[in-house]
Amino acid sequence: MSESILRVEDLKIHFPLKASFDDTIHRRAAKTVKAVDGVSFEIRKGETLALVGESGCGKTTIGKALVRLNTPTGGQILYKDVDIFKQDRKAYSKQVQYIFQDPYSSLNPQMSVMDIVRRPLDIFDLYPRQQREKRALQLLDMVGIASNQVYRYPHEFSGGQRQRISIARALAVEPEMLVADEPTSALDVSIQCQVLDLLGDLRKELNLTMLFISHDLGVVNYISDYVVIMYLGHIIERGKTKEVFKNPMHPYSKALLAALPVRGATKHERTIRLEGYIPSPINPPSGCLLHPRCPYAQQCCKDTVPEMIRLGDGHSVGCLFAEKQNFEARNIIL
């Protein structure tokens, strides 16, 4: 077992809302969005862990907290056993870099690609000044950007090329860990494969650790070693990717995997469907957060908050009936 490089312990990130006029008149307390509410996991050196869930589940909020773009309300984020908010910000930023979801908005449109990739070398004072352009060329070549394109501007590149430039910029400071926030969601399928292969090759070549944030289960199955499935700011299942995909134990995990299209099928029939929509994190349901949508919910699910149950080999799930395995295969019509 490799050493744990990053640990998240009981992380809570709440965002207070401005009190409305009606709340002010009636002196009601201001409401709070509980974006992340008690999340714990760890990432070992050299591994890729994927955060998965519907939009609004809190996965990007966690990713931004790992690079100090969000401040926790409670809990800790430990990098090499030291709280990241007690470390020198510049030194920590050199170790952990972020790849944003939208490669166009994350690149300065007024800077050439060469300047974008060379800029981190200037900020962190890496390499002699006369060698920084050469190093930037090496990084761009590593991600597949030709030397005759490096003085162009971001708008002159395709989406896939811009994401490659973002990856080169993140690698410029030689980090130990990357936080990749849905880096392929805005790309065509063929380009997605190229970027995923690139990340996989770089991970092996540079021994990178990665937190990969995505809602695309096919992508997660392709690139990650471990997976954490989130729902409404909480972890509901986690384990080795192959194990969770082969034997999902939580109804939410089952529903996500059942939503994947089946190759060769003329009609997609899900074995399990969730009713309605994800509740508001301002006023989450009592008990199990999934019970308003779960086809298997019983009264105890409304009253009892399920704890994470260990099922062996690192696989754990937060469901009252996970051990009993009494879920019936049936179709639920929305």
Side-chain angles (χ1 to χ4, degrees):
M1 296 288 287
S2 56
E3 62 176 315
S4 174
I5 192 171
L6 184 137
R7 292 202 319 274
V8 175
E9 298 180 349
D10 196 27
L11 181 66
K12 298 179 181 179
I13 304 175
H14 299 172
F15 299 105
L17 298 177
K18 273 190 174 182
S20 66
F21 179 74
D22 186 59
D23 289 338
T24 303
I25 291 296
H26 293 90
R27 296 184 179 181
R28 288 195 288 260
K31 296 177 180 178
T32 301
V33 177
K34 297 179 180 178
V36 178
D37 200 23
V39 166
S40 300
F41 61 85
E42 68 176 9
I43 307 176
R44 290 188 283 268
K45 187 173 179 60
E47 294 178 347
T48 296
L49 181 140
L51 283 182
V52 181
E54 291 175 286
S55 297
C57 72
K59 53 189 186 295
T60 293
T61 304
I62 293 174
K64 289 184 176 179
L66 296 187
V67 290
R68 296 177 54 165
L69 294 178
N70 284 330
T71 303
T73 307
Q76 284 185 313
I77 303 173
L78 304 174
Y79 182 77
K80 295 183 177 179
D81 296 324
V82 181
D83 191 317
I84 66 170
F85 290 91
K86 295 180 181 178
Q87 299 187 35
D88 177 75
R89 181 158 196 160
K90 189 174 181 180
Y92 177 70
S93 296
K94 185 180 182 302
Q95 299 301 314
V96 182
Q97 283 286 303
Y98 200 92
I99 300 173
F100 290 90
Q101 180 175 351
D102 183 356
Y104 187 68
S105 62
S106 66
L107 300 176
N108 190 331
Q110 295 182 321
M111 295 176 68
S112 69
V113 169
M114 170 59 71
D115 291 335
I116 287 171
V117 178
R118 188 177 55 192
R119 179 65 174 158
L121 301 176
D122 295 334
I123 293 173
F124 288 90
D125 196 25
L126 299 175
Y127 296 90
R129 186 177 297 273
Q130 63 273 17
Q131 294 183 16
R132 290 173 187 169
E133 183 168 329
K134 181 181 179 181
R135 176 57 180 163
L137 284 170
Q138 291 174 345
L139 290 164
L140 288 165
D141 179 67
M142 187 186 300
V143 299
I145 301 297
S147 58
N148 61 352
Q149 298 176 308
V150 299
Y151 292 102
R152 297 180 184 177
Y153 291 84
H155 72 272
E156 299 180 81
F157 292 88
S158 67
Q161 288 175 315
R162 286 196 288 262
Q163 196 61 281
R164 289 170 179 268
I165 294 165
S166 297
I167 294 170
R169 180 182 59 182
L171 294 175
V173 296
E174 300 174 0
E176 288 189 69
M177 179 175 172
L178 291 178
V179 179
D181 184 7
E182 305 206 36
T184 62
S185 64
L187 307 178
D188 293 336
V189 175
S190 59
I191 306 302
Q192 284 185 16
C193 292
Q194 295 176 17
V195 173
L196 290 173
D197 286 340
L198 172 63
L199 287 172
D201 292 341
L202 291 172
R203 173 193 158 190
K204 294 176 183 178
E205 181 180 344
L206 304 176
N207 194 28
L208 290 170
T209 305
M210 191 184 309
L211 178 73
F212 192 90
I213 299 169
S214 182
H215 63 271
D216 190 329
L217 294 177
V219 168
V220 167
N221 190 30
Y222 182 78
I223 198 169
S224 67
D225 301 304
Y226 290 83
V227 61
V228 169
I229 299 178
M230 294 188 61
Y231 183 77
L232 209 62
H234 293 73
I235 293 175
I236 54 94
E237 187 164 3
R238 63 186 166 206
K240 292 181 179 179
T241 303
K242 291 182 179 179
E243 172 63 22
V244 172
F245 274 63
K246 181 181 178 181
N247 187 29
M249 303 296 287
H250 197 283
Y252 182 68
S253 306
K254 291 174 180 283
L256 288 180
L257 290 168
L260 290 174
V262 179
R263 185 174 59 185
T266 56
K267 184 179 180 181
H268 183 208
E269 295 184 1
R270 300 184 189 179
T271 55
I272 176 174
R273 290 177 182 267
L274 300 180
E275 300 175 345
Y277 300 94
I278 187 169
S280 169
I282 299 174
N283 186 27
S286 61
C288 176
L289 295 171
L290 189 68
H291 84 257
R293 305 177 64 193
C294 181
Y296 310 115
Q298 299 181 24
Q299 183 60 44
C300 60
C301 300
K302 303 177 182 179
D303 303 329
T304 307
V305 178
E307 297 182 356
M308 295 295 289
I309 301 170
R310 290 183 176 273
L311 303 175
D313 198 23
H315 191 177
S316 56
V317 60
C319 179
L320 296 174
F321 301 105
E323 290 182 313
K324 296 181 180 180
Q325 281 296 294
N326 62 347
F327 298 128
E328 299 176 1
R330 56 182 176 175
N331 291 329
I332 305 298
I333 307 301
L334 293 176

